[in-house]
Structures are given as structure tokens and as C-alpha cells.
Amino acid sequence: MEGIKNRILIVEDEVKVATFIKKGLETQNFAPEVAHTAKDALELFSKNEYAVIILDIGLPDMSGLDVCKRIREQNSKVPILMLTAMGTVADKLSGFEVGTDDYLVKPFDFMELLVRVNALIKRAGTSTQKAESLMVGDLELDLKEKVARRAGEAIPLTAKEYVLLEYLMQNSGRVVSKVDIAENVWDINFDTGTNFVEVYINYLRKKVDKKFPEKLIHTMIGMGYMMKVK
């Protein structure tokens, strides 16, 4: 068995799809394991560590969204790639809200899945080399505890809100476009017909800025967003 960096958990109830993914990953020197139900997936996850989890949203015994929630209760770092037959903005936001790192709409090409998997592994690897905390004004992001605090008060964040806030704080004082955010936070190409970036910026504003007179997240009209102290 390969080390954790090559071990991947595939949670997919369609045998043909699971076999297709497993065989493809094996040709790339990964060590994939397959679970066809949520129960089996959670049992495997409790016993092993994985570099990436490929999780189908439509499982027979439990929604993939609920499985993601269960996993996030135990581990906030393991990358999760959600497979879905639905591609609407609402569906994607539902996945990101529970802690999914990326999504892939069925049917998909194996090479596209491979690119997503490698990107998630790379991002997870580089995240371990970051500083222990980030500060912008009275806002602190503890990178070890994965907790945000403003004026000493903890701010509850979903997994995706946390990643977005981290990206904004890493780039404080610099304008980041919607394209930058989509590519660096979601690892996807930005679709101008969607508004998920604005939706998540608004989520953060309500949690980070709403209760405080000094606003830290600023809209730069026609350019993007900037986190800064005025």
C-alpha cells in the first residue's frame, strides 16, 4: 500500500463509475479504495487517512452532503471532491457550504478528474507550510486551530468561508478579482453567468463586518474585492 499522499477514497454507489475511476487512478500510481455506501465510507474514513476523498452526492443510504458534514466534523483538512449529476449554482453552493473543496459534474472525462485531484493534493500540501496566523486590523485567522476571531470574538465559518477568508487575508491590500477567487478558492474557471463569488463574499461580510463599524472587506467596482483597514 502506498503512503497517505497516494491513498484516495472513492465513494460511489454506481459500480461502473467507481471501477472506471479506480482503474484510472491506479494507472497514475494512486492507491484507491472504494466504498459503495455512506456507511462503508464513514467506516473506512474512521480507520484510514486519505490524500483526497472523491464523494458522490447521490448515495443510497445517505446524501453525499451529509457524509461530507460527518467527515468535516472529524477532519477539516482532507480535500473532498464532490461528484454530482446536477450542475446548478444552488447545487454547487450546497456542496461548498458543507465543506466540499471542489465539484465535478457527471459525466466527466477522467483527465479532468485527475487534474482536480492533483490540484487538491498540491493545495493541501502547500497549506501545511503557512504561517500560524494572519492578521488584518483586529481580525485574526488562526491557521492551526482553523478559527477566525475579530476583536477577540470567535467567528463561526463553514469550511469554504474559511478558505475564502484566508485567501482574502493572504492578499490584504491587494485587489483580487472574481476570477482570482474562483481559481484559487474553488480551483475552477470562473463562469460569468454565475454569482457564487458574490454570494460567499456576502456570507463573509455578515459574519466579519456586520457587527463592527470598521469594514474590512471592500468592493472595488469593476475590479473585484480587497481586504484592508481604511
Side-chain angles (χ1 to χ4, degrees):
M1 177 68 71
E2 298 286 345
I4 179 178
K5 67 178 182 179
N6 283 345
R7 189 182 298 136
I8 294 178
L9 177 60
I10 303 165
V11 188
E12 170 61 68
D13 65 313
E14 294 183 49
V15 176
K16 289 184 178 180
V17 176
T19 302
F20 165 72
I21 297 172
K22 182 175 185 291
K23 289 183 176 179
L25 290 174
E26 286 173 341
T27 67
Q28 301 299 314
N29 296 318
F30 286 104
E33 297 177 3
V34 175
H36 295 301
T37 65
K39 179 182 178 182
D40 290 344
L42 292 171
E43 185 175 342
L44 282 171
F45 178 75
S46 68
K47 297 177 181 178
N48 304 302
E49 292 185 78
Y50 297 96
V52 173
I53 296 175
I54 299 172
L55 175 60
D56 182 37
I57 196 171
L59 298 171
D61 53 337
M62 184 188 298
S63 165
L65 296 175
D66 291 328
V67 175
C68 187
K69 285 182 184 179
R70 297 271 191 98
I71 290 173
R72 284 289 174 248
E73 289 171 359
Q74 302 176 53
N75 188 316
S76 64
K77 297 180 181 179
V78 59
I80 298 176
L81 173 62
M82 185 77 78
L83 302 181
T84 173
M86 302 168 287
T88 68
V89 174
D91 296 325
K92 295 166 189 174
L93 288 177
S94 295
F96 291 138
E97 186 69 19
V98 296
T100 299
D101 295 283
D102 199 358
Y103 72 91
L104 194 56
V105 178
K106 295 179 178 178
F108 53 83
D109 182 81
F110 175 75
M111 292 308 297
E112 184 179 1
L113 178 140
L114 183 62
V115 167
R116 302 290 183 94
V117 167
N118 283 329
L120 289 173
I121 291 174
K122 181 179 179 181
R123 192 171 73 187
T126 56
S127 67
T128 62
Q129 302 170 12
K130 296 173 184 173
E132 292 188 356
S133 65
L134 296 171
M135 293 288 299
V136 176
D138 60 353
L139 176 65
E140 176 189 10
L141 191 64
D142 188 317
L143 300 176
K144 291 184 68 178
E145 295 183 11
K146 303 290 186 183
V147 173
R149 301 182 182 89
R150 184 154 189 195
E153 181 181 342
I155 301 171
L157 299 173
T158 65
K160 190 53 63 176
E161 288 169 353
Y162 174 90
V163 176
L164 175 57
L165 180 60
E166 181 180 15
Y167 180 70
L168 292 175
M169 293 180 72
Q170 285 173 335
N171 291 279
S172 62
R174 185 174 79 85
V175 176
V176 290
S177 68
K178 294 176 184 177
V179 174
D180 293 331
I181 293 172
E183 290 180 350
N184 288 277
V185 176
W186 278 273
D187 278 331
I188 59 175
N189 293 323
F190 180 67
D191 180 353
T192 55
T194 64
N195 68 339
F196 67 88
V197 173
E198 292 99 321
V199 169
Y200 269 81
I201 289 290
N202 287 334
Y203 287 163
L204 276 186
R205 279 186 166 137
K206 289 178 182 178
K207 295 184 177 184
V208 171
D209 281 341
K210 187 175 182 179
K211 292 170 54 178
F212 299 89
E214 183 174 38
K215 308 307 177 186
L216 299 179
I217 302 173
H218 304 273
T219 298
M220 313 304 288
I221 297 175
M223 295 185 288
Y225 303 96
M226 180 188 294
M227 176 160 275
K228 66 176 181 176
V229 179
K230 283 188 176 178

